[in-house]
Each structure stands twice: as C-alpha cells, then as structure tokens.
Amino acid sequence: MEAPRLAHTMSSPTSPCEEVIKNLSLEAIQLCDRDGNKSQDSGIAEMEELPVPHNIKISNITCDSFKISWDMDSKSKDRITHYFIDLNKKENKNSNKFKHKDVPTKLVAKAVPLPMTVRGHWFLSPRTEYTVAVQTASKQVDGDYVVSEWSEIIEFCTADYSKVHLTQLLEKAEVIAGRMLKLSVFYRNQHNEYFDYIREHHGNAMQPSVKDNSGSHGSPISGKLEGIFFSCNTEFNTGKPPQDSPYGRYRFEIAAEKLFNPNTNLYFGDFYCMYTAYHYVILVIAPVGSPGDEFCKQRLPQLNIKDNKFLTCDEEDGVMVYHHAQDVILEVIYTDPVDLSLGTVAEITGHQLMSLSTANAKKDPSCKTCNISVGR
C-alpha cells in the first residue's frame, strides 16, 4: 500500500485503514486538518479547480458503519482520484488533529461511485455522536496530492446494536451461563422510603422507569426501555435469595408465576461485566401484546420461555417450575406496573454491599468473554 510522498524519510506506521472502508482500496493518509493547515513537508498542495464536496448526506447508519454521499460541481470532476475523510467524535472534535506533522490522521479512499460505505469497529462506536468532513484529491505522477478545500462539517450519531449484534452477545452469554438452579420468587430491594412513596403517590403500584445506561454501550434498551428491575438469583446452598443487597435493606418478594408465565414473552437484553470476574445478563419479561412487548419484539432476540440458558418457566405435574442460570447474575426487567399487594415487603438481615451496584455501571471493553467485534 503506497503512502503519500513526504519530503523526509519516516517509518511507515502499520495503518488499520484497510479495515475501515470495506470494498474500497485505501491508499494513503492525509495530513491536513479541516481548516486546510498542512505540514510543510507533507508534499500536499492545493488546487482550486478541484470541486469542494457540499450537501453531505449520511445514511444507512448502523452501530459501526454508515454510507456517505455528497454533491460536487462538474468542473475538474474527472481529475478526482481520491476522497479524504475526516471523522471525529463530537465530544472531542480535536481528537484527530495531528500532534506531529508525520502522524497519519485521515482516511483516504479511492474515488468510487457514491454513496460509499465507511465501516470499522476500531474507531466507530455505537450510539456515539460524530462529525465528518470531506475533501476531494488528485494523486500526481510523483506521488503527491492536490486537494480541494474541506466540505462543511456534518454531525451524525451511530445506531444501537442490532438484533444480529445482540444475538452474538447472547451466544457468548450462553457459553458461561452454567447449570440451572430452581427459584420460586422474584425480588426487588430498595430503601423503605421508596416503598412508602409508592404507597402514598402511586396507589401501591411500582411504576416502570427508564433503564439507566449501565451495561453495553450499544444496548438498545439503555435510556429507552421502561421497566422495573427484579432479581431472581438464589444462593446455591439454600435455594433462597441472598440476604445481602446493594440497593437497600427492604425487599419486595413476589411469586415467580405472577410475573413470568405463558402469557409473557422473554427477551435477551444485554451481557456485560464491570472489570470483575462475574458477569451480568439482562433479561426482559413483557406481558404479551403490551407496549414493552412491542418495543422488545422490534429490537431484542426473543427466548423460548421453556428452553433457554438463563431463565425458564415450564409445567411439571400441573405446577409451574422455574430455573435460573447459576454462573451469571440475572437482572430481570418487568415492563408493566406491579402492585405491592401481589407480594410482601420485609427487611433483610444481610449487608448493603454497594460494590455490587450496577447503577450506570460501565462495561469493561477489554473483556474477551462479553464483548463482540463491533464498536464498544
């Protein structure tokens, strides 16, 4: 792969650009910033005749790719051999500005029919705002480039994980789920003030709230799905819920069949860890036909309630029997209101272990167990 000719010798860095724009031939790296400032030794000159891209359009956005197109004046259009693309995270617009005149900073692709696809998980993250600008360029016989002015700067945001990506996470979670243990109740820990507020202001019914941003950055339920968090893990030696909790000393317990039964659907929502040895799986239980069910049906992989690796509901001798995975911590989101009269509220005897809290917890992007090969 040929690099732009520089006026002095530099070691050729191993560029990941070949992974960036699939189906395109990436030849080089541009050393200008968007304001047209260039290294004096870069060997890149300006030629006003080259058309400046305008009316930039971004489409077909996924969590790690997008299509880009633009309009150009016809003058000198046939001279264009390459496109220079400057892509930056919006929160740090200067992140791609060169700190040394020989450091490659821009993507370069051969001129191809538009729109063209830009993809690459090494620099594109899901649900992240970016800015992009474009130059046209003409490669000369001596290896130098002449370039147009930069286009206007366009902003866009990448998408959440698709069902395809979540299915990849699901398959990874299945590998470590472990054997299944019996359970009989779902439970939710809070401070006593929370339950007092529910009784006084919500007619005794716990209300769904928007899920926080804990877990995978690309999870489509974060900041969007409304639900009530429950736990269902049991202690191996007792078969009962643990007495410790990070969320408060008062616990609401409800019989499993009142939340999870053949009239509900089960969805896989996320798989993550927080720089720890144990992993979390988020599941969503939604009454069939409810708004939460419709939301999940469009975005999440659905699980067979009788046969999956995490949480099952089946009938044995006329009685509903429930099991949960032993080796992951399950966080269950129920998408409808739940009346306190359907269960009991009591104080637990254990400790409040704040270190186990997952509120707005950040996923470990380096964990090979719970990450997939798309933007983190």
Side-chain angles (χ1 to χ4, degrees), residues 266-277:
L266 181 67
Y267 298 91
F268 173 83
D270 201 3
F271 177 45
Y272 69 100
C273 71
M274 303 178 296
Y275 303 88
T276 57

Side-chain angles (χ1 to χ4, degrees), residues 329-347:
I329 301 175
L330 297 180
E331 297 180 303
V332 179
I333 301 177
Y334 187 76
T335 61
D336 273 12
V338 177
D339 199 289
L340 294 178
S341 65
L342 297 175
T344 60
V345 177
E347 187 173 5

Side-chain angles (χ1 to χ4, degrees), residues 10 29-31 98-106:
M10 58 175 280
I29 297 295
Q30 150 75 321
L31 301 182
F98 62 88
K99 298 175 181 176
H100 185 280
K101 59 188 176 184
D102 292 335
V103 177
T105 61
K106 304 295 180 286

Side-chain angles (χ1 to χ4, degrees), residues 137-155:
S138 176
K139 189 173 184 179
Q140 307 300 293
V141 293
D142 61 0
D144 290 348
Y145 285 83
V146 291
V147 298
S148 73
E149 296 292 335
W150 282 108
S151 70
E152 73 271 27
I153 297 173
I154 298 299
E155 299 179 357

Side-chain angles (χ1 to χ4, degrees), residues 165-297:
H165 300 118
L166 286 172
T167 299
Q168 294 175 20
L169 269 183
L170 166 62
E171 292 169 350
K172 279 181 162 281
E174 289 175 335
V175 172
I176 70 161
R179 70 172 181 160
M180 304 291 278
L181 303 177
K182 278 191 175 182
L183 69 103
S184 59
V185 299
F186 291 99
Y187 54 96
R188 174 174 171 81
N189 282 74
Q190 287 287 342
H191 298 286
N192 195 37
E193 292 78 7
Y194 167 82
F195 295 109
D196 287 341
Y197 184 86
I198 294 300
R199 297 183 187 101
E200 182 177 351
H201 296 280
H202 291 291
N204 217 44
M206 293 185 291
Q207 300 297 313
S209 59
V210 177
K211 183 193 171 297
D212 65 11
N213 288 315
S214 60
S216 300
H217 189 54
S219 175
I221 63 177
S222 294
K224 296 180 180 179
L225 177 67
E226 293 188 357
I228 305 169
F229 262 107
F230 285 92
S231 298
C232 66
N233 290 79
T234 59
E235 291 182 321
F236 177 77
N237 56 339
T238 67
K240 296 180 179 180
Q243 282 298 305
D244 299 323
S245 169
Y247 300 111
R249 294 190 57 80
Y250 284 80
R251 173 173 293 170
F252 171 74
E253 284 192 8
I254 184 171
E257 61 264 23
K258 292 183 179 180
L259 296 187
F260 188 34
N261 52 62
N263 294 318
T264 57
N265 284 327
L266 181 67
Y267 298 91
F268 173 83
D270 201 3
F271 177 45
Y272 69 100
C273 71
M274 303 178 296
Y275 303 88
T276 57
Y278 43 87
H279 282 79
Y280 295 83
V281 169
I282 298 180
L283 303 175
V284 182
I285 297 176
V288 175
S290 67
D293 189 34
E294 294 302 315
F295 177 95
C296 294
K297 194 173 296 182

